[in-house]
Structure formats: structure tokens, C-alpha cells
Amino acid sequence: MTDEKGRKVILVVDDDKSNLMVAQKLLVDEYHVAVVNSGELALRYLEKRQPELILLDIQMPGWNGFEVMEKLQENADWKKIPVIFLTADRSEATEEACFKVGAVDYIGKPFVPAIMQQRIKRPLELEDYRKNL
């Protein structure tokens, strides 16, 4: 899905308002950025729209990122959407867990703008190639 300006849509899911604001500020020039502050709201968003990519925080009240990912994997349409986890936990165990549940990558917090933009750009390009095959 693209917006009226032809920009790809990225859904950012994070319970921390400052992280949502930073992500939006870093990405808004190139992408249409939709933000929600819980896993429950992310699923409601997905019932109406399908973004090209989801940035998903791991540690959230209510459903954590892994629980949201589980719900995404249960839906045939949603499980096709690439997911990048957002986390302050840079341990090997967390990184491994992210990939085991189907994430395409993860981005550490605090966000490093250039790294964030590259980690988002790569799976979007791969998805474009896949669709064009």
C-alpha cells in the first residue's frame, strides 16, 4: 500500500511516545509513517490497511512484540508483511529470538538514523523484487 504521494507505508508500533516521534521524524520525508502505541491497536490498524513494513517494539504493556508477531503469523495476509523489531536489548538471545519468530531484522534503541534508514530500506527493496518476479 502506498499513500496518495506514492510513498510506502510503514507502521510503527511502540508504547513510548518519544520513540514514535523520533521514528516519524526520521522517516517522514521518504515514507508515510503510521504510528500506534500498542499491539492491540496495531492489529486494529491492520484490519483496515496493510503497510509495506512494520517496526515493532518488543517491550510493551499488554501484548509484547513477540505476542503481536504470533498474531501476525496466524493471518495469511499479515504474515507476508516484513517486521523489524525495535529493542533496547541488544543481547544475542534477543536477536536470535527476533529471527526465530520471523522478523527480517531488528533495530536497536536509541535509534541511529543512518542505520535505521538502511535497515528499513533493504527489506522494502527485497519485497519489491519479490513482487516483480
Side-chain angles (χ1 to χ4, degrees):
M1 179 175 90
T2 57
D3 70 1
E4 62 282 349
K5 295 178 183 176
R7 297 179 300 175
K8 293 180 184 287
V9 177
I10 295 176
L11 175 62
V12 183
V13 185
D14 197 314
D15 62 306
D16 184 313
K17 286 183 183 179
S18 63
N19 285 334
L20 292 174
M21 288 176 20
V22 169
Q24 193 162 31
K25 184 177 179 182
L26 290 174
L27 302 172
V28 73
D29 289 340
E30 193 167 344
Y31 306 102
H32 176 94
V33 182
V35 297
V36 296
N37 64 2
S38 73
E40 294 87 345
L41 289 175
L43 296 185
R44 279 196 225 149
Y45 177 91
L46 293 171
E47 289 171 357
K48 298 175 184 154
R49 298 168 206 88
Q50 189 163 336
E52 271 79 24
L53 180 76
I54 298 172
L55 300 179
L56 179 59
D57 185 24
I58 292 176
Q59 297 298 321
M60 295 184 290
W63 295 335
N64 68 35
F66 293 116
E67 292 167 318
V68 173
M69 188 67 169
E70 207 174 283
K71 301 212 180 283
L72 295 175
Q73 296 300 314
E74 293 170 0
N75 182 296
D77 291 327
W78 300 346
K79 75 181 193 177
K80 296 175 188 172
I81 304 169
V83 174
I84 297 176
F85 276 115
L86 305 175
T87 183
D89 180 353
R90 296 181 185 222
S91 70
E92 288 179 20
T94 298
E95 182 177 354
E96 182 180 350
C98 290
F99 291 119
K100 274 188 174 179
V101 298
V104 297
D105 207 343
Y106 77 102
I107 297 172
K109 296 178 188 178
F111 304 133
V112 177
I115 292 172
M116 181 181 209
Q117 290 166 341
Q118 286 303 311
R119 290 193 177 206
I120 289 169
K121 185 178 181 180
R122 186 177 43 229
L124 290 174
E125 287 175 344
L126 289 172
E127 186 62 17
D128 284 344
Y129 294 140
R130 186 189 68 76
K131 285 178 182 175
N132 290 325
L133 287 178

